[in-house]
Amino acid sequence: MEKIEHTTVATNGINMHVASIGSGPVILFLHGFPELWYSWRHQLLSLSSLGYRCVAPDLRGYGDTDAPSSAASYTVFHIVGDLVGLLDALGVDRVLLVGHDWGASIAWSFCQLRPDRVKALVNLSVVYRPRNPKVKPVEGFRALFGDDYYICRFQEPGEIEEEFAEVDTKKLLKIFLTSRNPNPPRMPKGRGYKGSPDPPPLPSWLSEQDVDYFASKFNQKGFTGGLNYYRALNRNWELMAPWTGLEIKVPVKFIVGDLDVTYHIPGVKDYIHNGRFKKDVPFLQELVVMEGVGHFLNQEKPEEISMHIYDFVKKF
């Protein structure tokens, strides 16, 4: 880990913290919520040893990267703009892209907006979601799961932050990172986290030191930056209207765990396995469903995920 370099890159009006290691073709890793560059620690070490330059930023709003306060500054255009600026600063024309959770969602948008900058994509957990011109995303989730669904609860600025602040950050992150319940995450209003039971002992893939690192950064930064991605969902829907129906035209490998909450959203399995995913992503080359694996698969199964990435990106 001490061989990983940490730099700050000025891009798109913000300062972005970037962790990197190795030399060779560049792989750009995009993390999710509530995470950091650190979520890719295993892949940085594995893939740099196989001849790649591995680059993992803290995305806008996270860790040691700047965090504008307004949700209006967290649209996909801002985030993809940050990443294009990062590639320009690094002198990289085309990149191998890897995303997980919100990072996967951003990676799909990156491939829509700037496919000329992407050689190939390996996305984890969050499948491509074609824009539905008739329903805004938050309203769609509310109709499916009700007002207590976590994405709906995240919408009101400051509200969920107050509930998060009632409990120790380490405990909160343990609850998030160790959950293996594939049912829709609900956070009933007013119940908060204060009285929530202690999470079970940490699994073998997550150490107290790992949780300490995540917690130290979220204690410094707070959660608002990460939550602002959810608060920009409907705005993204409005702004992405010109790209409705556009196919993802880069080579893709998609990996999901069968205990991942995203895999159990109604309609997702049918979409993935019955041809519509391949229709929207015509250069989908590999689809992997990992048995007995949860949402944070890049940390839970680091060696397998590193090899899945390597076996795909080495073709390009």
Side-chain angles (χ1 to χ4, degrees):
M1 287 288 282
E2 64 278 357
K3 291 180 181 172
I4 295 173
E5 294 176 32
H6 295 272
T7 54
T8 301
V9 173
T11 172
N12 194 25
I14 64 167
N15 291 312
M16 176 174 264
H17 166 246
V18 180
S20 63
I21 184 172
S23 59
V26 174
I27 306 177
L28 178 63
F29 294 90
L30 309 180
H31 69 79
F33 176 89
E35 300 179 82
L36 302 162
W37 74 270
Y38 188 83
S39 300
W40 297 109
R41 58 198 177 281
H42 305 293
Q43 286 73 37
L44 293 184
L45 298 177
S46 298
L47 288 151
S48 63
S49 73
L50 292 167
Y52 291 90
R53 184 179 182 195
C54 297
V55 177
D58 283 334
L59 294 176
R60 173 183 290 240
Y62 287 93
D64 295 317
T65 291
D66 288 351
S69 56
S70 168
S73 298
Y74 289 80
T75 72
V76 290
F77 290 90
H78 291 88
I79 314 300
V80 173
D82 297 343
L83 298 169
V84 170
L86 172 60
L87 294 184
D88 290 345
L90 297 175
V92 177
D93 180 32
R94 295 173 73 229
V95 75
L96 298 159
L97 196 57
V98 180
H100 169 253
D101 186 79
W102 256 108
S105 190
I106 295 299
W108 294 123
S109 298
F110 196 126
C111 292
Q112 284 183 303
L113 299 173
R114 292 303 303 268
D116 58 305
R117 303 300 296 267
V118 183
K119 290 183 196 172
L121 168 66
V122 180
N123 250 355
L124 315 181
S125 176
V126 174
V127 75
Y128 177 63
R129 291 194 184 104
R131 182 180 182 275
N132 180 346
K134 295 176 182 166
V135 183
K136 292 185 177 183
V138 176
E139 281 60 48
F141 285 121
R142 189 169 275 121
L144 264 181
F145 301 120
D147 291 335
D148 289 341
Y149 187 58
Y150 78 105
I151 288 174
C152 303
R153 287 294 325 281
F154 285 0
Q155 292 304 308
E156 185 59 40
E159 188 177 276
I160 202 75
E161 286 95 326
E162 282 184 24
E163 293 189 19
F164 285 176
E166 292 173 353
V167 64
D168 177 67
T169 303
K170 276 188 73 171
K171 179 178 175 179
L172 187 66
L173 289 166
K174 286 178 181 180
I175 292 169
F176 280 132
L177 293 169
T178 62
S179 172
R180 298 180 74 74
N181 181 354
N183 294 316
R186 288 188 168 88
M187 301 176 170
K189 204 169 183 174
R191 193 181 293 174
Y193 283 89
K194 236 186 333 201
S196 54
D198 286 335
L202 289 180
S204 59
W205 54 267
L206 190 68
S207 71
E208 288 289 344
Q209 289 81 4
D210 295 332
V211 180
D212 283 341
Y213 184 82
F214 284 114
S216 70
K217 297 302 176 183
F218 282 101
N219 279 332
Q220 287 170 23
K221 202 68 145 207
F223 287 91
T224 299
L227 293 165
N228 278 340
Y229 287 66
Y230 296 92
R231 292 167 185 159
L233 276 167
N234 281 352
R235 184 73 176 127
N236 287 334
W237 178 86
E238 295 169 1
L239 294 170
M240 289 297 288
W243 287 267
T244 302
L246 186 73
E247 295 173 345
I248 301 289
K249 289 286 187 74
V250 305
V252 172
K253 179 172 186 171
F254 180 71
I255 311 169
V256 66
D258 69 353
L259 297 179
D260 193 322
V261 65
T262 66
Y263 190 55
H264 292 267
I265 293 172
V268 165
K269 287 182 196 172
D270 182 62
Y271 174 76
I272 288 174
H273 297 294
N274 287 350
R276 284 182 297 145
F277 186 24
K278 177 72 172 170
K279 183 175 174 295
D280 292 332
V281 186
F283 302 148
L284 176 68
Q285 296 184 12
E286 295 182 45
L287 172 60
V288 179
V289 180
M290 299 180 74
E291 286 186 29
V293 179
H295 180 67
F296 297 96
L297 63 176
N298 48 330
Q299 298 182 73
E300 183 180 341
K301 295 289 181 186
E303 294 86 3
E304 291 94 322
I305 292 297
S306 293
M307 290 319 296
H308 272 304
I309 295 168
Y310 177 66
D311 287 342
F312 190 65
V313 301
K314 70 182 181 185
K315 303 176 190 175
F316 305 96

